[in-house]
């Protein structure tokens, strides 16, 4: 969860559509994300995903969230309520107070 | 309420005539229509014109279940003139808590017939067209092409991608919704429809633009497995009806009018970048600021397989099996994969146990713990399948001990392991995985699937078993 001394960005991360089950059934996390990844690159969505897997995922079923290092098919990523494809997907650089929502697409009816 | 004043200039009998040459409706409302639809016609923006557009519209509802029932009620109530309903299933008791267009007295009836019975009682004026079979790549285009708008009320990605593809090719707006357990989603696609391949400019997305790939089957859960709260799916179905009525009454699916009046600002129709509405329902908290979220989706994707530039998708192709929807969604198929010596029928297991012919063994039940809590076979230990699969994957990845996958103590010794699940699919996969992980002790230990799961048990052995 980032060391106290390192610079961090405050963001909100939400899970919906059943994904919250992988994160201890908690739908919303207030996260202090390190400003940069290990290599000094500005924190982007790809880094956030890695960070979530490492520090927040309580369930062993990582495959339900990431596949081959990317978010698995059938999960939408919304950056401040807009589809991440409008924002640059994994490369989007996270800003203070961003809201990132992960939703798994549903098929029941 | 009594004391309604009618416009006496309206004729007493409905006259069937379409639009006159200037595109306006010349058909009049009948007395019955006038009475029935008055409360929605007086809503600003709706009016007589909107009502007549609804009456002249043809709408197709695919799926007569948790979404289709509430949607159909409001579509019929609003007076959409022709309503087609597609569903091959029959009404079961476990449907009724959410599929409110059916009834206890109609258990066992085809869902389309049951729902139409309900709708006719609600409003006898529309024409109802039943299709009491499943939508397939072979029949989809012939059915969908006869309608103005489609509601996707189905429950599987195979049909969702098929419906969207046909709607792209036949240029029909699509209102899509889904719900599982405690979440619901809704979005309006392909509205107003634009020809396939057109990508210069802003065009609305299709289902594939928004959801390029289906989730892997292992992560997909249906209402039958994961459960569903009635009001969650009901809310989504009603929202579908609401969107459909809006689109048809206001002609939102028609190309925007090229107005002669250049002073009028273009209407913000908000369609090329539709909204994905998400409803999240909590059993243990009040409705909150994030119970409903409206998310902005992108428009048509240049490289979309179905509607994008240079797309090779055609109606003929779909009919002849291209693309292969089943493979695309790699749906789990119930095919026997285990050799016979690794399987036993529910009846044979029961008989052997009764006669004392079964050695001491471990019986593993792979259903979710909620299912398990309603009742299980004598001596069964619960090992929920989802968790097992992912634990097994983790063992493979990190090289942990496979023995820890089994319930406490079960990994010791060579006593046979019998695996039972709900309907006989998960148990086979479990048997296969346990062998792969070497838990059969190099073949010394028998690991056996109980065929057909607890459904077969209830059917063939014990009709009182609490199977859900």
């Amino acid at each position: 969860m980032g060391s106290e001394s390192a610079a961090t960005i405050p963001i909100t991360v939400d899970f919906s559509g059943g994904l919250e089950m992988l994160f201890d059934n908690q739908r919303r996390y207030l996260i202090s994300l390190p400003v940069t990844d290990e290599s000094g690159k500005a924190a982007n969505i790809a880094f956030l995903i890695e960070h979530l897997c490492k520090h927040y995922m309580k369930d062993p079923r990582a495959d339900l969230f990431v596949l081959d290092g990317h978010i698995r098919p059938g999960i939408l990523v919304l950056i401040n309520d807009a589809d991440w494809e409008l924002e640059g997907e994994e490369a989007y650089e996270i800003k203070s107070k961003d809201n990132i929502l992960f939703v798994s697409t549903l098929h029941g009816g | 309420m009594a004391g309604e004043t009618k416009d006496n200039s309206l004729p007493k009998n409905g006259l069937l005539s379409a639009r006159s040459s200037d595109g306006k409706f010349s058909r009049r409302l009948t007395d019955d229509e006038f009475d029935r639809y008055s409360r929605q016609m007086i809503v600003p923006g709706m009016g007589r014109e909107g009502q007549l557009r609804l009456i002249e519209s043809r709408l197709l509802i695919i799926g007569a279940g948790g979404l289709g029932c509430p949607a159909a009620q409001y579509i019929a109530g609003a007076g959409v003139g022709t309503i087609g309903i597609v569903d091959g299933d029959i009404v079961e008791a476990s449907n009724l808590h959410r599929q409110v267009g059916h009834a206890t007295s109609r258990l066992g009836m085809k869902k389309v017939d049951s729902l139409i019975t309900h709708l006719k009682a609600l409003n006898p004026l529309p024409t109802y067209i039943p299709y009491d079979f499943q939508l397939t790549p072979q029949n989809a285009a012939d059915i969908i092409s006869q309608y103005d708008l489609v509601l996707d009320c189905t429950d599987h990605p195979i049909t969702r991608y098929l419906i969207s593809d046909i709607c792209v090719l036949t240029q029909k707006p699509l209102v899509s919704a889904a719900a599982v357990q405690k979440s619901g989603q809704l979005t309006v696609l392909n509205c107003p429809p634009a020809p396939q391949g057109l990508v210069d400019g802003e065009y609305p997305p299709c289902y594939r633009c928004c959801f390029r790939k289906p989730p892997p089957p292992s992560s997909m859960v249906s209402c039958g497995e994961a459960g569903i709260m009635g009001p969650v799916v009901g809310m989504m179905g009603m929202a579908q009806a609401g969107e459909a009525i809006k689109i048809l009454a206001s002609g939102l699916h028609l190309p925007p009018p090229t107005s002669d009046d250049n002073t009028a600002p273009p209407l913000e129709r908000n369609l090329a970048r539709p909204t994905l509405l998400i409803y999240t329902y909590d059993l243990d908290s009040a409705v909150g600021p994030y119970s409903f979220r409206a998310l902005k989706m992108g428009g048509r994707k240049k490289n979309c397989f179905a509607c994008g530039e240079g797309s090779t998708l055609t109606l003929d192709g779909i009919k002849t099996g291209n693309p292969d929807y089943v493979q695309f969604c790699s749906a789990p198929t119930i095919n026997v994969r285990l050799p016979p010596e690794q399987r036993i029928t529910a009846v044979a297991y029961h008989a052997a146990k009764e006669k004392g012919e079964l050695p001491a063994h471990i019986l593993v039940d792979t259903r979710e713990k909620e299912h398990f809590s309603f009742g299980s076979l004598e001596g069964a230990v619960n090992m929920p399948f989802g968790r097992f699969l992912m634990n097994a994957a983790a063992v493979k990845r990190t090289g942990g001990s496979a023995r820890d996958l089994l319930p406490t103590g079960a990994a010791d010794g060579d006593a046979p392991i019998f695996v039972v699940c709900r309907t006989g699919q998960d148990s086979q996969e479990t048997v296969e995985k346990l062998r792969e992980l070497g838990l059969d002790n190099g073949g010394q230990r028998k690991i056996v699937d109980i065929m057909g799961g607890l459904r077969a048990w209830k059917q063939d052995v014990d009709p009182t078993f609490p199977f859900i």
Side-chain angles (χ1 to χ4, degrees), chain A residues 9-12 80 94-100:
Chain A
I9 328 168
I11 57 166
T12 329
N80 300 323
I94 293 172
K95 295 173 188 62
S96 176
K97 299 202 177 122
D98 273 349
N99 173 266
I100 316 291

Side-chain angles (χ1 to χ4, degrees), chain A residues 14-18 20-21 25 27-28 58-64 67 72-76 78 80-83 85-86 89 99 101 103-109, chain B residues 66-67 154-157 160 178-180 183 185 207 210-211 213-216 219 223 273 276 278 280-282 290 293 295-298 301 386-387 390-391 393 397:
Chain A
D14 291 332
F15 299 101
S16 173
E20 62 277 10
M21 287 193 301
N25 270 312
R27 287 221 168 95
R28 161 157 289 207
K58 296 284 160 61
D59 198 284
R61 293 176 285 181
D63 332 36
L64 289 186
L67 265 184
R72 78 148 164 82
I75 294 180
L76 293 178
L78 286 303
N80 300 323
D81 286 348
D83 189 352
E85 303 199 1
L86 303 173
E89 304 199 8
N99 173 266
L101 167 65
V103 196
S104 118
T105 55
L106 306 178
H107 292 287
Chain B
L67 294 165
T154 63
D155 61 0
H156 200 282
R160 291 187 181 278
V180 170
S183 315
Q185 297 173 352
Y207 189 78
C210 295
F211 311 106
K213 275 195 204 164
S219 74
C223 296
R273 292 190 167 200
L276 175 69
I278 296 198
T280 307
Y281 179 88
D282 251 323
Y290 299 100
R293 293 186 74 159
L295 309 168
K296 208 195 312 160
M297 302 303 287
K301 297 244 157 66
R387 192 156 280 264
M390 296 311 148
N391 287 344
R397 224 180 17 243

Side-chain angles (χ1 to χ4, degrees), chain B residues 42 258-259 305 361 386:
Chain B
I42 58 175
T258 45
S259 172
F305 171 80
H361 64 279

Side-chain angles (χ1 to χ4, degrees), chain B residues 20 31 34 63 68 71 82 97 101 117 158 162 201 212 266 297 321 388 393 441:
Chain B
S20 56
D31 276 2
F34 189 90
T82 304
H97 79 111
T117 303
I158 290 180
L162 169 63
R212 197 170 43 210
M297 302 303 287
F388 166 74
N441 299 341

Side-chain angles (χ1 to χ4, degrees), chain B residues 381-405:
Chain B
V381 284
N382 191 207
M383 183 178 81
F385 182 65
R387 192 156 280 264
F388 166 74
L389 265 192
M390 296 311 148
N391 287 344
V395 164
K396 274 193 180 164
R397 224 180 17 243
T398 59
S401 166
R403 294 169 55 84
D404 297 341
L405 293 173

Side-chain angles (χ1 to χ4, degrees), chain A residues 13-72:
Chain A
V13 174
D14 291 332
F15 299 101
S16 173
L19 287 178
E20 62 277 10
M21 287 193 301
L22 305 178
F23 294 87
D24 208 19
N25 270 312
Q26 191 175 323
R27 287 221 168 95
R28 161 157 289 207
Y29 283 86
L30 303 172
I31 287 178
S32 297
L33 188 71
V35 173
T36 55
D37 65 12
E38 290 84 357
S39 65
K41 256 186 19 197
N44 58 18
I45 298 283
F47 174 62
L48 171 67
I49 291 168
E50 204 186 302
H51 185 81
L52 290 171
C53 288
K54 245 189 224 159
H55 301 290
Y56 290 88
M57 194 179 289
K58 296 284 160 61
D59 198 284
R61 293 176 285 181
D63 332 36
L64 289 186
F65 191 60
V66 281
L67 265 184
D68 308 324
H70 299 283
I71 210 83
R72 78 148 164 82

Side-chain angles (χ1 to χ4, degrees), chain B residues 160-178:
Chain B
R160 291 187 181 278
Y161 284 98
L162 169 63
I163 291 168
S164 172
D165 288 353
I166 302 280
C167 285
V168 166
L169 293 165
T170 56
Q171 296 196 45
K172 308 292 180 188
L174 172 62
V175 182
S176 182

Side-chain angles (χ1 to χ4, degrees), chain B residues 326-340:
Chain B
V326 174
Q327 195 202 18
F328 177 61
C329 301
S330 40
T333 42
I334 312 278
N335 47 7
V336 183
R337 291 170 314 172
L338 293 177

